[in-house]
Amino acid sequence: MKLPFVLAKRFVAGESFDQSIPKVRHLNDHGIKVTLDLLGENVKDRETADRTVESYIQLIENIHTAGLDSTISIKLTMLGLDIDRNYCRDNLFRLLDTARTNDSFVRIDMEGSDYTQATIDLFKEAFKTYGTHVGTVIQAYLHRTKDDIPELAELGADIRLCKGAYSEPERIALQNMPAIREAYKEYAKILLEKTPHPRIATHDDELLEWVQEYAIEKKLGKSRFEFQMLYGLREETMIELTEQGYNTRVYVPYGTMWFPYFKRRLLERKENIFFVATTMFKK
Ligand SMILES: Cc1cc2nc3c(=O)[nH]c(=O)nc-3n(C[C@H](O)[C@H](O)[C@H](O)COP(=O)(O)OP(=O)(O)OC[C@H]3O[C@@H](n4cnc5c(N)ncnc54)[C@H](O)[C@@H]3O)c2cc1C
């Protein structure tokens, strides 16, 4: 059974690119950059993966034509990572060719821990050829991040640092919030010191304030890093940060396959369930 889109509209900009354009323009008009994400994950057959690559290529071209200030995010499982690693790499490189031609950028989202190693390996391969046109994501809750962060920072990679959104066991990931926050701060320090433009992806006031104070203490300019948040969350805070001179970017998901993303947002915070419940009673 397909659930009605009205449930997801708080967190998902639309079921098509055209429906999402006004939301992207609204954010751009406030000086906030965007990352568009065509939703979906775990493609199991080549036909669907091929179609997905074509849709992403089209998306980069449509963003360019519409004059939007937006890059894109992708998931490697949508490009065929579960089918064959080399096939997935070829698809990623095709997409990055288009990104380079359009002077755009592709961020490889980080998925569950079964995919961490393959994602980092494919990112490193892509980084050698496409440099500033590609970046990836690191999750602070993973134990392995203490080794991954210094290595990626040494490369000067473009990293989005987030806490991590997937349910992982204790042997793989930290489980309690104070420990995850402390890890996040340690990794943010490394990225701020070693990489040209770290992306601080969080809605957490403690981390937002900590990064601002740390940057002042280390005399890092506001343009040295970027705050990133998800569509539908804390827009006023993003506008305030932009007005204060910080670089800001909102991750705007769209598409018909919104359910897994929507479910992760609901599980994250009980307030999100409240938002959805009220959405159901509004037009
Ligand atoms: C731009 C972006 C990209 C992401 N990409 C990935 C990815 O590729 N892979 C991945 O695994 N995860 C990704 N995530 C999700 C991320 O890992 C977390 O699951 C998610 O951001 C929740 O953690 P948090 O730090 O934002 O806040 P939470 O841990 O959910 O909340 C901590 C505290 O922050 C404050 N807070 C949170 N939300 C709000 C709100 N709406 N209003 C007011 N206060 C609030 C509250 O004080 C709350 O107690 C991404 C997140 C962002 C923002």
Side-chain angles (χ1 to χ4, degrees):
M1 185 191 72
K2 192 176 180 314
L3 292 167
F5 178 71
V6 67
L7 283 178
K9 74 174 192 188
R10 163 108 203 170
F11 305 112
V12 180
E15 289 197 288
S16 67
F17 174 72
D18 284 348
Q19 281 173 12
S20 314
I21 291 178
K23 279 104 181 188
V24 177
R25 283 207 201 286
H26 165 79
L27 292 162
N28 285 172
D29 287 347
H30 281 94
I32 301 171
K33 296 185 173 72
V34 164
T35 294
L36 273 161
D37 175 30
L38 171 58
L39 289 170
E41 35 210 282
N42 295 89
V43 165
K44 299 286 183 215
D45 62 279
R46 284 177 190 247
E47 204 189 322
T48 314
D50 289 346
R51 245 189 293 120
T52 307
V53 180
E54 287 309 323
S55 307
Y56 279 139
I57 287 174
Q58 193 65 56
L59 175 60
I60 292 175
E61 290 172 353
N62 287 346
I63 288 170
H64 187 79
T65 310
L68 303 175
D69 193 347
S70 177
T71 56
I72 70 164
S73 258
I74 56 116
K75 289 186 173 48
L76 290 179
T77 59
M78 279 186 76
L79 298 188
L81 187 57
D82 288 328
I83 303 167
D84 178 75
R85 189 186 175 285
N86 290 343
Y87 166 68
C88 176
R89 187 201 49 215
D90 292 347
N91 284 338
L92 176 66
F93 281 26
R94 268 181 66 204
L95 186 60
L96 286 167
D97 283 335
T98 308
R100 190 163 54 186
T101 307
N102 286 277
D103 197 20
S104 188
F105 178 89
V106 176
R107 184 162 311 275
I108 307 170
D109 280 352
M110 190 56 80
E111 302 180 65
S113 60
D114 288 348
Y115 301 105
T116 313
Q117 191 62 50
T119 303
I120 292 177
D121 289 346
L122 282 170
F123 163 72
K124 286 200 289 198
E125 254 187 276
F127 185 68
K128 274 190 209 145
T129 309
Y130 297 95
T132 55
H133 296 285
V134 63
T136 192
V137 181
I138 288 294
Q139 299 156 325
Y141 68 179
L142 292 186
H143 301 312
R144 60 169 291 158
T145 293
K146 67 179 186 319
D147 301 317
D148 294 330
I149 278 272
E151 194 192 339
L152 291 166
E154 210 52 58
L155 290 176
D158 188 322
I159 300 296
R160 174 201 293 154
L161 181 63
C162 67
K163 283 180 185 163
Y166 297 81
S167 172
E168 301 286 0
E170 215 173 322
R171 69 189 160 79
I172 293 198
L174 297 166
Q175 305 290 318
N176 76 78
M177 193 53 84
I180 296 171
R181 282 191 177 118
E182 284 320 300
Y184 193 107
K185 290 175 193 171
E186 286 312 308
Y187 302 143
K189 278 186 199 168
I190 298 173
L191 293 179
L192 283 163
E193 189 192 328
K194 303 246 169 165
T195 67
H197 214 78
R199 321 288 166 166
I200 305 297
T202 183
H203 313 92
D204 190 332
D205 280 324
E206 180 179 325
L207 294 177
L208 294 169
E209 282 161 25
W210 180 85
V211 169
Q212 292 173 59
E213 283 162 17
Y214 184 79
I216 291 168
E217 185 192 316
K218 296 289 171 190
K219 299 192 169 44
L220 301 172
K222 288 177 176 170
S223 61
R224 271 279 280 106
F225 56 95
E226 181 179 79
F227 287 118
Q228 297 195 348
M229 293 192 192
L230 301 177
Y231 176 77
L233 300 176
R234 310 209 67 177
E235 189 181 305
E236 278 175 23
T237 307
M238 280 306 245
I239 292 172
E240 278 168 26
L241 287 167
T242 314
E243 286 170 358
Q244 288 165 23
Y246 290 102
N247 290 320
T248 51
R249 184 180 295 274
V250 169
Y251 181 100
V252 177
Y254 77 95
T256 53
M257 290 165 69
W258 46 262
F259 187 71
Y261 175 87
F262 169 72
K263 192 170 134 200
R264 282 198 290 278
R265 299 290 80 80
L266 288 194
L267 293 177
E268 226 151 53
R269 271 187 103 223
K270 60 180 182 316
E271 287 84 347
N272 291 347
I273 296 174
F274 170 74
F275 288 146
V276 171
T278 51
T279 304
M280 286 168 72
F281 297 104
K282 286 183 194 156
K283 265 237 161 205

Coordinates of all heavy atoms in Angstrom, one line a residue, residues 10 75 108-112 137 139 141 160 162-166 177 181 184 200-207 228-230 232-234 237 249-251 264-265 268-269 271-272 275, ligand 1:
R10 N 6.3 17.4 5.3 CA 7.1 18.2 6.3 C 8.6 18.0 6.0 O 9.4 18.9 6.2 CB 6.7 17.8 7.7 CG 7.7 18.2 8.7 CD 7.2 19.3 9.6 NE 8.3 20.0 10.2 CZ 8.2 21.1 10.8 NH1 7.0 21.7 10.9 NH2 9.2 21.7 11.3
K75 N 23.2 8.0 -3.1 CA 23.5 6.9 -2.3 C 24.1 5.8 -3.3 O 23.5 5.5 -4.3 CB 22.3 6.3 -1.6 CG 21.9 7.3 -0.5 CD 20.7 6.7 0.3 CE 20.5 7.6 1.6 NZ 20.3 9.0 1.3
I108 N 28.5 11.8 -1.8 CA 28.1 10.4 -1.6 C 27.7 10.3 -0.1 O 28.5 10.4 0.8 CB 29.3 9.5 -1.9 CG1 29.9 9.8 -3.3 CG2 28.8 8.0 -1.7 CD1 31.2 9.0 -3.5
D109 N 26.4 10.2 0.1 CA 25.8 10.0 1.4 C 26.4 8.7 2.0 O 26.8 7.8 1.3 CB 24.3 9.8 1.3 CG 23.5 11.1 1.2 OD1 24.2 12.2 1.3 OD2 22.3 11.0 1.0
M110 N 26.4 8.7 3.4 CA 26.9 7.4 4.0 C 25.6 6.6 4.5 O 24.7 7.2 5.1 CB 27.7 7.8 5.2 CG 28.4 6.6 5.8 SD 29.4 5.6 4.6 CE 30.9 6.6 4.6
E111 N 25.6 5.3 4.2 CA 24.5 4.5 4.5 C 24.9 3.6 5.7 O 25.8 3.9 6.5 CB 24.1 3.7 3.3 CG 23.8 4.6 2.1 CD 23.4 3.8 0.8 OE1 22.4 3.1 0.8 OE2 24.2 3.9 -0.2
G112 N 24.2 2.5 5.9 CA 24.5 1.6 7.1 C 25.9 1.0 7.0 O 26.6 1.1 6.0
V137 N 30.5 11.5 3.4 CA 29.9 11.8 4.7 C 30.6 10.8 5.7 O 30.8 9.7 5.4 CB 28.4 11.5 4.7 CG1 27.8 11.8 6.1 CG2 27.7 12.3 3.6
Q139 N 30.2 9.4 9.8 CA 29.3 9.3 10.9 C 30.0 9.3 12.2 O 30.8 8.3 12.4 CB 28.4 8.1 10.7 CG 27.5 8.1 9.5 CD 27.1 6.7 9.0 OE1 27.9 5.7 9.2 NE2 26.0 6.6 8.5
Y141 N 29.1 8.5 15.1 CA 28.8 7.4 16.1 C 29.6 6.1 15.8 O 29.7 5.3 16.7 CB 27.3 7.1 16.2 CG 26.6 6.5 15.0 CD1 25.2 6.3 15.1 CD2 27.2 6.2 13.8 CE1 24.5 5.7 14.0 CE2 26.5 5.7 12.7 CZ 25.1 5.5 12.9 OH 24.4 4.9 11.8
R160 N 31.2 15.9 5.0 CA 30.1 16.2 5.8 C 30.1 15.4 7.1 O 30.1 14.1 6.9 CB 28.7 16.0 5.0 CG 27.5 16.2 5.9 CD 26.3 15.5 5.3 NE 25.8 16.0 4.1 CZ 25.2 15.3 3.2 NH1 24.9 14.0 3.4 NH2 24.8 15.8 2.0
C162 N 28.3 14.0 10.3 CA 27.0 13.9 10.9 C 27.1 12.9 12.1 O 28.1 12.3 12.2 CB 25.9 13.5 9.9 SG 26.1 11.8 9.3
K163 N 26.0 12.8 12.9 CA 26.1 11.8 14.0 C 25.9 10.4 13.5 O 26.6 9.4 13.9 CB 25.0 12.1 15.0 CG 25.2 13.3 15.9 CD 24.0 13.5 16.8 CE 24.2 14.7 17.6 NZ 22.9 15.1 18.3
G164 N 25.1 10.2 12.5 CA 24.7 8.8 12.0 C 23.3 8.5 12.2 O 22.8 8.7 13.3
A165 N 22.6 8.0 11.2 CA 21.1 7.9 11.2 C 20.6 6.4 11.3 O 19.5 6.2 11.4 CB 20.5 8.6 10.0
Y166 N 21.5 5.5 11.2 CA 21.1 4.1 11.1 C 21.2 3.4 12.4 O 22.0 3.8 13.2 CB 21.9 3.3 10.0 CG 21.7 3.9 8.6 CD1 22.4 5.1 8.3 CD2 20.8 3.4 7.7 CE1 22.2 5.7 7.0 CE2 20.6 4.0 6.5 CZ 21.3 5.1 6.1 OH 21.1 5.7 4.9
M177 N 24.1 9.6 23.7 CA 24.2 10.9 23.1 C 25.4 11.7 23.6 O 26.2 12.3 22.8 CB 22.9 11.7 23.3 CG 22.8 12.9 22.5 SD 23.1 12.7 20.7 CE 21.5 12.2 20.2
R181 N 28.2 13.1 21.0 CA 28.6 14.5 20.9 C 30.1 14.7 21.1 O 30.7 15.5 20.4 CB 27.8 15.3 22.0 CG 26.4 15.5 21.6 CD 25.8 16.5 22.6 NE 24.4 16.8 22.2 CZ 23.3 16.6 23.0 NH1 23.5 16.1 24.2 NH2 22.1 16.9 22.6
Y184 N 31.8 13.7 18.1 CA 31.6 14.6 17.0 C 32.5 15.8 17.1 O 33.1 16.3 16.1 CB 30.1 15.1 17.1 CG 29.6 15.9 15.9 CD1 28.7 15.3 15.0 CD2 30.0 17.2 15.6 CE1 28.3 15.9 13.9 CE2 29.6 17.8 14.5 CZ 28.7 17.2 13.6 OH 28.3 17.9 12.5
I200 N 29.3 20.9 8.7 CA 28.9 20.5 10.0 C 27.4 20.3 9.9 O 26.6 21.2 9.9 CB 29.1 21.7 11.0 CG1 30.6 22.1 11.0 CG2 28.7 21.4 12.4 CD1 31.6 21.0 11.4
A201 N 27.0 19.0 9.8 CA 25.6 18.6 9.6 C 24.9 18.2 10.9 O 25.2 17.1 11.4 CB 25.5 17.5 8.6
T202 N 24.2 19.1 11.5 CA 23.5 18.8 12.8 C 22.4 19.8 13.1 O 22.6 21.0 12.6 CB 24.5 18.7 14.0 OG1 23.8 18.3 15.2 CG2 25.2 20.0 14.2
H203 N 21.4 19.4 13.9 CA 20.4 20.4 14.4 C 20.6 20.6 15.9 O 19.8 21.2 16.5 CB 19.0 19.8 14.1 CG 18.8 19.3 12.8 ND1 19.0 18.0 12.4 CD2 18.5 20.0 11.6 CE1 18.8 17.8 11.1 NE2 18.5 19.0 10.6
D204 N 21.7 20.1 16.4 CA 21.9 20.0 17.8 C 22.6 21.3 18.3 O 23.7 21.6 18.0 CB 22.9 18.8 18.1 CG 23.0 18.5 19.6 OD1 22.8 19.4 20.4 OD2 23.3 17.3 19.8
D205 N 21.8 22.1 19.2 CA 22.3 23.4 19.7 C 23.7 23.3 20.3 O 24.5 24.1 20.1 CB 21.3 24.0 20.7 CG 20.2 24.6 19.9 OD1 20.4 25.2 18.9 OD2 19.0 24.6 20.4
E206 N 23.9 22.2 21.1 CA 25.2 22.1 21.8 C 26.3 22.1 20.8 O 27.3 22.7 21.0 CB 25.2 20.8 22.7 CG 26.5 20.7 23.4 CD 26.6 19.4 24.3 OE1 25.6 19.1 24.9 OE2 27.7 18.9 24.4
L207 N 26.1 21.3 19.7 CA 27.2 21.2 18.7 C 27.3 22.5 17.9 O 28.4 23.0 17.6 CB 27.0 20.0 17.8 CG 27.1 18.7 18.5 CD1 26.8 17.5 17.6 CD2 28.5 18.5 19.1
Q228 N 25.0 22.5 7.9 CA 24.0 21.9 7.1 C 22.9 21.3 7.9 O 23.1 20.7 9.0 CB 24.7 20.7 6.3 CG 25.7 21.1 5.3 CD 26.1 20.1 4.3 OE1 25.7 18.9 4.5 NE2 26.9 20.4 3.3
M229 N 21.6 21.5 7.5 CA 20.5 20.9 8.2 C 19.6 20.3 7.1 O 19.7 20.4 5.9 CB 19.7 22.0 8.9 CG 20.5 22.5 10.1 SD 19.6 23.5 11.2 CE 20.9 24.3 12.2
L230 N 18.6 19.5 7.6 CA 17.6 18.8 6.8 C 16.4 19.7 6.5 O 16.0 20.4 7.4 CB 17.2 17.5 7.4 CG 18.3 16.5 7.7 CD1 17.7 15.3 8.4 CD2 19.1 16.1 6.5
G232 N 12.8 21.1 6.3 CA 11.7 20.9 7.3 C 12.1 21.1 8.7 O 11.2 21.1 9.6
L233 N 13.4 21.2 9.0 CA 13.8 21.3 10.4 C 14.6 22.6 10.6 O 15.5 22.9 9.8 CB 14.7 20.1 10.8 CG 14.1 18.7 10.7 CD1 15.1 17.7 11.0 CD2 12.9 18.6 11.6
R234 N 14.2 23.3 11.6 CA 15.0 24.5 12.1 C 15.3 25.6 11.0 O 16.4 26.1 11.0 CB 16.3 24.1 12.7 CG 16.1 23.0 13.8 CD 17.2 23.1 14.8 NE 17.0 24.3 15.7 CZ 17.8 24.5 16.7 NH1 18.8 23.7 17.1 NH2 17.6 25.6 17.4
T237 N 16.5 28.9 12.3 CA 17.9 28.9 12.8 C 18.8 29.0 11.6 O 19.8 29.8 11.7 CB 18.2 27.6 13.6 OG1 17.2 27.4 14.6 CG2 19.6 27.6 14.2
R249 N 23.6 25.4 4.3 CA 23.1 24.5 3.2 C 22.0 23.6 3.8 O 22.1 23.0 4.8 CB 24.2 23.7 2.6 CG 23.8 22.9 1.4 CD 24.9 22.1 0.8 NE 26.0 22.9 0.3 CZ 26.0 23.4 -0.9 NH1 25.1 23.1 -1.8 NH2 27.0 24.2 -1.3
V250 N 20.9 23.5 3.0 CA 19.8 22.6 3.5 C 19.7 21.4 2.5 O 19.8 21.6 1.3 CB 18.4 23.3 3.5 CG1 17.3 22.4 3.7 CG2 18.4 24.3 4.7
Y251 N 19.6 20.2 3.1 CA 19.5 19.0 2.3 C 18.0 18.8 2.0 O 17.2 18.6 2.9 CB 20.1 17.9 3.2 CG 20.1 16.5 2.7 CD1 21.3 16.0 2.2 CD2 19.0 15.7 2.8 CE1 21.4 14.6 1.8 CE2 19.1 14.3 2.4 CZ 20.2 13.8 1.9 OH 20.3 12.5 1.5
R264 N 13.2 7.2 9.1 CA 14.4 7.6 9.9 C 14.2 8.9 10.6 O 14.5 9.0 11.8 CB 15.7 7.7 9.0 CG 16.2 6.3 8.6 CD 17.7 6.5 8.1 NE 17.8 7.2 6.9 CZ 17.7 6.6 5.7 NH1 17.4 5.3 5.6 NH2 17.8 7.2 4.6
R265 N 13.5 9.8 9.9 CA 13.3 11.1 10.6 C 12.3 11.0 11.8 O 12.4 11.5 12.8 CB 12.7 12.2 9.6 CG 13.6 12.5 8.5 CD 14.8 13.3 8.8 NE 15.9 12.6 9.4 CZ 16.8 11.9 8.6 NH1 16.8 11.8 7.4 NH2 17.8 11.3 9.2
E268 N 14.0 9.4 14.8 CA 15.0 10.2 15.4 C 14.5 11.1 16.6 O 15.2 11.2 17.6 CB 15.5 11.2 14.3 CG 17.0 11.3 14.2 CD 17.4 11.7 12.8 OE1 16.9 12.6 12.2 OE2 18.2 10.9 12.2
R269 N 13.4 11.6 16.5 CA 12.9 12.6 17.5 C 11.4 12.5 17.6 O 10.7 12.5 16.6 CB 13.2 14.0 17.1 CG 14.5 14.6 17.5 CD 14.6 16.0 17.1 NE 14.5 16.9 18.3 CZ 13.8 18.0 18.4 NH1 13.1 18.4 17.4 NH2 13.7 18.7 19.5
E271 N 9.4 14.6 18.6 CA 8.7 15.8 18.1 C 8.4 15.7 16.6 O 7.4 16.3 16.1 CB 9.6 17.1 18.3 CG 9.7 17.6 19.7 CD 10.8 16.8 20.5 OE1 11.3 15.8 20.0 OE2 11.2 17.3 21.5
N272 N 9.2 14.9 15.9 CA 8.9 14.8 14.4 C 7.6 14.0 14.2 O 6.9 14.3 13.2 CB 10.1 14.0 13.8 CG 11.3 14.8 13.7 OD1 11.3 16.1 13.9 ND2 12.4 14.2 13.4
F275 N 5.0 16.6 14.5 CA 4.9 17.4 13.3 C 4.0 16.7 12.2 O 3.2 17.3 11.6 CB 6.3 17.6 12.6 CG 7.1 18.6 13.4 CD1 8.5 18.4 13.4 CD2 6.6 19.6 14.1 CE1 9.3 19.2 14.1 CE2 7.5 20.5 14.8 CZ 8.8 20.3 14.8
Ligands
LIG1 C1 22.5 17.8 6.0 C2 22.5 16.5 6.7 C3 22.9 15.3 6.0 C4 22.9 14.1 6.6 N1 23.4 13.0 5.9 C5 23.5 11.8 6.5 C6 24.1 10.7 5.9 O1 24.6 10.8 4.8 N2 24.2 9.5 6.6 C7 23.6 9.4 7.9 O2 23.8 8.3 8.5 N3 23.0 10.4 8.5 C8 22.9 11.6 7.8 N4 22.3 12.7 8.5 C9 21.5 12.4 9.7 C10 22.3 12.5 11.0 O3 23.2 11.4 11.0 C11 21.5 12.5 12.2 O4 20.8 11.3 12.2 C12 20.5 13.6 12.3 O5 21.0 14.8 11.8 C13 20.0 13.8 13.8 O6 21.1 14.3 14.6 P1 21.2 15.8 15.0 O7 22.6 16.0 15.5 O8 20.8 16.7 13.9 O9 20.2 16.0 16.2 P2 19.5 15.0 17.2 O10 20.5 14.0 17.7 O11 18.3 14.4 16.5 O12 19.0 15.9 18.3 C14 19.9 16.4 19.3 C15 19.3 17.7 19.9 O13 19.3 18.7 18.9 C16 18.2 19.6 19.1 N5 17.3 19.5 17.9 C17 17.3 18.5 17.0 N6 16.3 18.7 16.0 C18 15.7 19.8 16.4 C19 14.7 20.6 15.8 N7 14.0 20.2 14.7 N8 14.3 21.8 16.5 C20 15.0 22.2 17.6 N9 16.0 21.5 18.2 C21 16.4 20.3 17.6 C22 17.5 19.1 20.3 O14 18.0 19.8 21.4 C23 17.9 17.6 20.4 O15 17.8 17.1 21.7 C24 22.4 13.9 7.9 C25 22.0 15.1 8.6 C26 22.0 16.3 8.1 C27 21.6 17.5 8.9

